[in-house]
Amino acid sequence: MDNKLTWMSSSLPLTSTSRASPAIAMAGSRFFPKSSTSSQTFTTQKGSGDPTRASVVHLLARAHSLPCSAASQAFMQLVQPTARFQLALDMLLPLLTSSADLAQRILVSFILYSMYAPYPISLNPFKSVLYATFVKERELAIEISTEGGFSEREQLVWVLWKILKGDGNDIGPYSPSTLTKSPLPPELRASCLFLDEETFMENDPSTITAGEPKQFAEQGASKNSLPLLPPATETKITREIDRENERIAQAMKLVLAARDRALTLTEQRTLTPLIPHLTSPTMITSVDLPPIVSYNPNLAYQLVATLLMALPNNLAQDISVYLDALTLLPPTLPSFDLLGRLLRNTSAIPDYSTGGKTTIADIVRSEVLGRFIHESIKWLDNAERDEHEGLVSDDRFAKGFKMLLCRFYSSLLKLSIVDAASDADSTEMSHFTLRHSRFEEANALYCILASSRFDPFYTMI
């Protein structure tokens, strides 16, 4: 056993706190406007209309914080066995050989390995591309190293070296983000990693060594002996870990499905207990929330509540991304239901701005509610303008949403979540209800707001 695992066992945590970046912009519509955030890596991918490929794109973009083995299992579940090879050719290989994000390239490398992991590496049809990438990236990393710098390619070189040695399973428990951020010891730098091309093609691992020049590796091979290496601690994937990774992969698949349809009760029962595993570190991106809220509001509530309780341990901007997504939800019944439940949730969470304690209800009221009301009014004004310009022929949606917004705000008043006498709370809503006072609900709400703002002397007259 070589010294590969000594480094991994001593310096790599099993999880990463980084969050995957959003990859796919939502399809443009009145309810879900196109997002300006999209993955540059995948914008030109072939077959973007294929739901399987779209799901794989989404998986690759946000699986950086999952163990490589769990992400690989999710890929296997998403893609039918007969389609995996062609999809790997069309989507995975271009990423491996491109200048894509390092964590993505590491994940792609592991997936290409794991597709044929039960067999020797010599039988893997992608071994030549993996080897060519190893040689190219190693040379570039050495070139930067000789100039006194340090290349982030070093981690990719080490991962490829492990895979080509046939030790790819050792990488499985670690996430791509962890692998990219963990420094390599000197003996595992790119200049110390060698693969003998001829021996590699013959799949003779006895000549694949680390920490010595190639000529010494060849001498060791001729003597049919391995160099003396310090003792290493082997990391094994137990049956329990493998079963847990399979459950997480299934949960990821259900989250992807929740963006496109309502989950069945059985699927929701399967996913609910696994939500903490998907939120710490988070696998849910801000662009996931609008469609999940639309199709599965109950699931969305559990996800958002868990995210708000988990994320204050990280940076403040981690929370703000999700809070911003809530403010831009369309004024629909699922959105009002979600906000209403969050505004009544008194679970304590750390306050990232003061370092003290707050509640989910308080942070949603202070950071989300006001802007959500503003964006809802703007959305309804745009819908009314489209109607007047003849862009839409049916105004039932706009009327219905106006009524829903008025009823939602009335319930906030009854629960004392907003103060009708406060200018900051009620000014914008007062103007909105006055403009639409021809509707019964808007007129009734305006009367409540107006009477609360007037001086009692004038109210009695």
Side-chain angles (χ1 to χ4, degrees), residues 93-105:
L93 279 187
L95 278 176
L96 176 64
T97 57
S98 70
S99 58
D101 179 70
L102 182 63
Q104 261 180 6
R105 299 180 72 190

Side-chain angles (χ1 to χ4, degrees), residues 125-138:
F126 301 109
K127 68 180 186 300
S128 58
V129 180
L130 292 169
Y131 180 73
T133 305
F134 166 79
V135 173
K136 175 184 175 182
E137 298 297 330
R138 179 178 178 274

Side-chain angles (χ1 to χ4, degrees), residues 6 8 58 105 114 132 134 161 229 261 306 370 423 442 461:
T6 304
M8 294 176 69
H58 203 68
R105 299 180 72 190
S114 62
F134 166 79
W161 179 77
L229 296 173
R261 62 175 176 83
T306 307
D423 288 343
I461 296 178

Side-chain angles (χ1 to χ4, degrees), residues 16 63-68 71 102-104 106-107 174-181:
S16 169
H64 301 167
S65 57
L66 267 190
C68 289
L102 182 63
Q104 261 180 6
I106 287 177
L107 179 57
Y174 304 97
S175 69
S177 295
T178 298
L179 292 170
T180 58
K181 295 179 180 180

Side-chain angles (χ1 to χ4, degrees), residues 204 206 219-226:
D204 181 3
S206 63
Q219 293 175 9
S222 63
K223 296 178 182 179
N224 195 27
S225 62
L226 289 172

Side-chain angles (χ1 to χ4, degrees), residues 134-144 157 190:
F134 166 79
V135 173
K136 175 184 175 182
E137 298 297 330
R138 179 178 178 274
E139 291 176 353
L140 292 174
I142 292 176
E143 182 179 345
I144 294 176
V157 173

Side-chain angles (χ1 to χ4, degrees), residues 194-241:
F194 298 92
L195 291 169
D196 185 80
E197 181 177 6
E198 181 180 355
T199 306
F200 169 72
M201 298 305 292
E202 295 175 357
N203 193 39
D204 181 3
S206 63
T207 59
I208 304 176
T209 59
E212 55 180 325
K214 184 175 180 180
Q215 60 266 31
F216 292 108
E218 293 174 349
Q219 293 175 9
S222 63
K223 296 178 182 179
N224 195 27
S225 62
L226 289 172
L228 295 177
L229 296 173
T233 303
E234 184 174 2
T235 301
K236 295 182 179 180
I237 301 178
T238 64
R239 180 175 300 179
E240 290 74 16
I241 294 177

